[in-house]
Amino acid sequence: MSTSNTTSSLKTALAQACTEIEATIDALLPMVPGDESVLLEAMRYAALGGGKRLRGFLAVEVASLFGADHNAALRVAASVEFLHAYSLVHDDLPSMDDDDLRRGRPSTHRQFDEAIAILAGDALQTRAFEVLVEAETSADATIRAELALALARASGAAGMVGGQVVDIRGEGRSLPLDQVRRLHALKTGALIRYAAEAGAILAGVNDSRRDAIVTYGLRLGTAFQVADDVLDATASAEELGKTAGKDEASGKSTYVSLLGIDGARAEARRLSDEAREALSSFGPQAEALRALADYVVERRS
Amino acid sequence: MSTSNTTSSLKTALAQACTEIEATIDALLPMVPGDESVLLEAMRYAALGGGKRLRGFLAVEVASLFGADHNAALRVAASVEFLHAYSLVHDDLPSMDDDDLRRGRPSTHRQFDEAIAILAGDALQTRAFEVLVEAETSADATIRAELALALARASGAAGMVGGQVVDIRGEGRSLPLDQVRRLHALKTGALIRYAAEAGAILAGVNDSRRDAIVTYGLRLGTAFQVADDVLDATASAEELGKTAGKDEASGKSTYVSLLGIDGARAEARRLSDEAREALSSFGPQAEALRALADYVVERRS
């Protein structure tokens, strides 16, 4: 199924969604006058700095599959990108990963300063929740509350932030494979799964359709992370737009250190295939999501 | 009206609300096993470390005035205390106010480390929104979404975090009174106003009652901050449980530097009286809120 045709139409769809999501983010972070303008500058710097928009695309594409309102879907996409951007700003801080480079540019605390970066991350998290519960995101308050609840569960202590702590605590000691899987399921997987599920929540679909999308999101998220470990071990900083070879330098247990490069590549492929299989009950409208499962393991950055 | 009788019944009401809010926070932050347990420890350290619970008490007391469900009110109170705790943890960080002492104990980054403090703050913010949108907080999804929206507006770039940036940018230069007012309206006032308003949102009261509570919350919040400046200039670190005399040392413009101690005391009293007046349409059930307006300007810590 991974013909160059579907790959090329996925790239078109990704590029179009990227453009629309960037425009939505731009509109949702208007500049303000006064001393706090630097905060909005930093939030915009962090949120509009490019990136693949994988999470936003997932939300938009699942929402489209189920016929949800497109403008509402773009707001949900912007929201999950705000949440993702906040996590990157805080991850890059000197007391965390201490990373000077992000998406080929100075990380937010290098471009501004540490205090502004912490506060910009804080305000991006707030904005992620604010956008979800604003009336414009959905006609139905039940759906808005459900979106916010799912985001909180995916990103808080029992999700992304919990995973970040497990990651920090795991540095310098070797973790077994099941703990590495759990770490990534929390740190990266939960938000990717949420992005897919959010499209289904917005559309108000039944449980079996939502469950299929959740399974797809979980497999896709893990495949993405395994592929990320492979890229970290094999690609250059120029290709990645961020520091390469960090994992080995920091002595972290990764899929590559545990399975080897070839083993990790096979694991990513297996997970990608499982993500595709989760979509078997959907028709040709799910083709972009299927192609995305290939894309995340075949990408070069 | 500020008889020793109302003061003593306020203290009883405050103490009882404190106990109930602490128990609610304790239940809403259960410990977890695994490497992420340190995150929950830090969140609990920051959120359960005492404090006056002014914001939580406001939410509970306004909810009670309007007959809202008491358990739902306690959850809203815990939520606003999570938000407040997150802001203190991040404000105390080395790149911000660099404060080693909070409520008479080491600040969170001193007790744990900087990375854990940043992440605990992040997860406390998330938990604040999560608790609001959980079904247990209100039978009505419209109310839950409205509570989350009001919290986001009070605490994000156009509220508390925006105020923190204005505060940082104002260090070392002298600000005129109107800018100091605006700074505190954002940094401290917005969340105190929200705490009061949240009780009204939870009870689903009409606009005129909600407006009266909002005015009360705004005046109370400003009175609180003016009194805080007076305390910073006059009380000892032992009394405050935090570093005293910080404002003068950092060259910040404060109500005291602009109005003098006596002028600032008079301003606090005037605002406290205005807060009382905003409650004129309510009966004796609002007596605790009236006494609170006196308490915030008469307190010694």
Side-chain angles (χ1 to χ4, degrees):
Chain A
M1 290 293 285
S2 173
T3 66
S4 63
N5 244 2
T6 44
T7 307
S8 129
S9 56
L10 173 68
K11 282 190 176 158
T12 308
L14 261 172
Q16 195 197 324
C18 250
T19 305
E20 289 188 310
I21 292 167
E22 292 274 322
T24 307
I25 291 174
D26 179 64
L28 289 171
L29 292 178
M31 280 305 299
V32 293
D35 271 353
E36 64 268 44
S37 61
V38 64
L39 177 67
L40 265 295
E41 277 170 32
M43 291 167 75
R44 292 174 59 87
Y45 181 82
L48 286 165
K52 292 175 287 292
R53 305 294 180 206
L54 169 69
R55 293 156 192 80
F57 178 71
L58 262 178
V60 166
E61 203 56 38
V62 172
S64 160
L65 172 66
F66 295 133
D69 178 79
H70 186 58
N71 283 323
L74 284 171
R75 293 173 61 90
V76 171
S79 162
V80 69
E81 292 291 343
F82 290 154
L83 205 296
H84 180 53
Y86 124 66
S87 77
L88 297 181
V89 172
H90 284 190
D91 278 6
D92 285 342
L93 287 167
S95 62
M96 310 267 246
D97 291 355
D98 193 14
D99 225 317
D100 291 347
L101 197 62
R102 169 69 63 184
R103 292 170 180 163
R105 305 183 310 167
S107 47
T108 304
H109 67 275
R110 297 291 294 174
Q111 181 72 16
F112 297 85
D113 63 36
E114 220 178 307
I116 293 296
I118 292 169
L119 293 167
D122 288 346
L124 281 167
Q125 177 178 185
T126 316
R127 193 73 180 116
F129 284 103
E130 185 173 9
V131 166
L132 286 187
V133 292
E134 281 174 339
E136 293 83 351
T137 298
S138 159
D140 187 335
T142 310
I143 286 176
R144 282 183 273 141
E146 196 175 348
L147 285 167
L149 183 58
L151 179 61
R153 290 186 174 156
S155 67
M160 185 186 80
V161 172
Q164 174 70 355
V165 172
V166 175
D167 197 16
I168 289 172
R169 295 278 138 164
E171 270 169 34
R173 61 191 168 100
S174 77
L175 299 177
L177 186 58
D178 63 330
Q179 283 190 41
V180 169
R181 281 193 215 280
R182 179 165 180 277
L183 187 172
H184 291 304
L186 292 170
K187 187 180 173 184
T188 322
L191 195 63
I192 292 179
R193 171 217 149 127
Y194 161 80
E197 191 175 13
I201 293 172
L202 192 61
V205 301
N206 65 24
D207 283 355
S208 75
R209 294 178 138 204
R210 184 162 160 175
D211 289 349
I213 288 299
V214 165
T215 302
Y216 168 79
L218 286 170
R219 298 296 181 276
L220 186 83
T222 313
F224 179 83
Q225 186 57 50
V226 178
D228 229 40
D229 283 2
V230 173
L231 280 171
D232 185 86
T234 59
S236 70
E238 200 182 334
E239 287 175 290
L240 291 180
K242 61 182 179 186
T243 312
K246 278 196 303 178
D247 294 337
E248 196 177 344
S250 69
K252 274 185 191 176
S253 293
T254 67
Y255 289 104
V256 170
S257 73
L258 290 161
L259 302 171
I261 298 267
D262 290 343
R265 284 206 172 107
E267 173 90 348
R269 170 50 57 197
R270 183 182 66 74
L271 289 158
S272 168
D273 290 345
E274 285 182 16
R276 277 182 162 274
E277 279 160 31
L279 303 175
S280 60
S281 63
F282 303 117
Q285 297 96 324
E287 207 50 42
L289 293 173
R290 293 188 187 99
L292 184 65
D294 293 324
Y295 169 77
V296 298
V297 299
E298 287 163 9
R299 69 205 159 91
R300 288 278 160 273
S301 68
Chain B
M1 289 294 286
S2 173
T3 66
S4 63
N5 243 4
T6 43
T7 308
S8 128
S9 56
L10 173 69
K11 282 192 174 156
T12 309
L14 261 172
Q16 195 196 324
C18 250
T19 305
E20 289 187 311
I21 292 167
E22 292 275 322
T24 307
I25 290 174
D26 179 66
L28 289 171
L29 292 178
M31 281 304 301
V32 292
D35 271 351
E36 64 267 45
S37 62
V38 64
L39 177 67
L40 265 295
E41 276 169 33
M43 291 168 74
R44 292 174 59 88
Y45 181 82
L48 286 166
K52 291 174 289 292
R53 305 292 180 207
L54 169 68
R55 294 156 192 79
F57 177 70
L58 263 177
V60 166
E61 204 55 39
V62 173
S64 161
L65 173 65
F66 295 133
D69 178 79
H70 185 59
N71 283 324
L74 285 171
R75 294 173 61 90
V76 171
S79 162
V80 69
E81 293 291 344
F82 290 154
L83 205 297
H84 180 53
Y86 124 67
S87 78
L88 298 180
V89 172
H90 283 190
D91 278 6
D92 287 343
L93 287 167
S95 61
M96 310 269 247
D97 292 353
D98 193 15
D99 225 317
D100 291 347
L101 197 61
R102 169 68 63 185
R103 291 169 181 163
R105 305 182 310 168
S107 47
T108 305
H109 67 277
R110 298 289 297 174
Q111 182 71 18
F112 296 86
D113 62 37
E114 222 178 305
I116 292 296
I118 292 169
L119 293 167
D122 289 345
L124 282 167
Q125 178 179 184
T126 317
R127 192 74 181 115
F129 285 102
E130 184 174 10
V131 165
L132 287 187
V133 293
E134 281 174 340
E136 293 83 350
T137 297
S138 159
D140 188 334
T142 310
I143 287 176
R144 282 183 273 141
E146 197 175 346
L147 286 167
L149 183 57
L151 179 62
R153 288 185 175 157
S155 68
M160 185 186 80
V161 172
Q164 173 71 355
V165 172
V166 176
D167 197 17
I168 290 172
R169 294 279 138 165
E171 272 169 33
R173 61 190 169 102
S174 78
L175 298 177
L177 186 59
D178 63 331
Q179 283 190 41
V180 169
R181 281 193 215 279
R182 180 165 179 277
L183 187 170
H184 290 304
L186 292 170
K187 187 180 172 182
T188 323
L191 195 65
I192 292 178
R193 170 218 150 126
Y194 161 79
E197 192 175 12
I201 294 172
L202 191 62
V205 300
N206 65 24
D207 282 354
S208 74
R209 295 178 137 205
R210 183 161 159 176
D211 289 348
I213 288 299
V214 165
T215 303
Y216 168 80
L218 285 170
R219 299 296 180 276
L220 186 83
T222 313
F224 179 83
Q225 185 57 50
V226 178
D228 229 40
D229 282 2
V230 173
L231 281 170
D232 185 85
T234 59
S236 69
E238 199 182 335
E239 285 174 292
L240 291 180
K242 60 182 179 185
T243 312
K246 276 197 304 177
D247 295 336
E248 198 179 343
S250 69
K252 275 185 191 177
S253 293
T254 68
Y255 289 104
V256 170
S257 74
L258 290 162
L259 303 171
I261 297 266
D262 290 344
R265 283 207 173 107
E267 172 90 348
R269 169 50 57 200
R270 185 181 66 74
L271 288 159
S272 168
D273 290 345
E274 285 182 17
R276 274 182 164 275
E277 280 160 32
L279 303 175
S280 60
S281 64
F282 304 117
Q285 297 95 325
E287 208 49 44
L289 293 173
R290 293 187 187 100
L292 184 65
D294 294 322
Y295 169 76
V296 297
V297 300
E298 287 162 8
R299 69 204 159 92
R300 287 278 161 273
S301 69

